[in-house]
Amino acid sequence: MTHKNPFEIRTEMLQLAKNYLDQQYHMNIQFAERMVEQGVMAAEDIKKAYAIYSMDELMEKAKEMYSFVSDKGTCSK
């Protein structure tokens, strides 16, 4: 097991958050395209699904993930 410094942990959290939001983005697009094909969603509404996340949203997700790491073993229910 390697010990990581805080910079390395934050870098990992940013990468995890980016991967998470990228996957969510692609799933939203697939879902919206299926809804358009089925006639449930208008083509104009698909623009919302194609809206990429902002840097603020990425940072917020990374902070959320980092708080889990830095929580020191306490778990909220």
Side-chain angles (χ1 to χ4, degrees), residues 8-24:
E8 291 169 321
I9 294 170
R10 285 190 296 273
T11 300
E12 268 190 23
M13 291 302 107
L14 279 172
Q15 187 61 47
L16 285 171
K18 182 184 180 316
N19 291 343
Y20 175 85
L21 291 175
D22 284 346
Q23 182 64 32
Q24 185 176 6

Side-chain angles (χ1 to χ4, degrees), residues 1-3 5-7 17 22 24-25 28 34 36 38-39 42 48 51 53 57 61-64 66 69 74 76-77:
M1 179 176 193
T2 61
H3 295 282
N5 67 41
F7 178 77
D22 284 346
Q24 185 176 6
Y25 171 74
N28 286 345
R34 276 192 236 121
V36 169
Q38 295 175 10
K48 293 176 187 174
Y53 53 87
E57 291 169 318
K61 183 55 74 177
K63 286 177 187 176
E64 179 184 330
Y66 186 75
V69 171
T74 60
S76 61
K77 292 184 180 184

Side-chain angles (χ1 to χ4, degrees), residues 57-75:
E57 291 169 318
L58 175 62
M59 294 300 294
E60 188 60 37
K61 183 55 74 177
K63 286 177 187 176
E64 179 184 330
M65 291 177 166
Y66 186 75
S67 71
F68 173 77
V69 171
S70 63
D71 197 7
K72 298 185 184 199
T74 60
C75 185

Side-chain angles (χ1 to χ4, degrees), residues 31 36 52:
F31 177 75
V36 169
I52 192 78

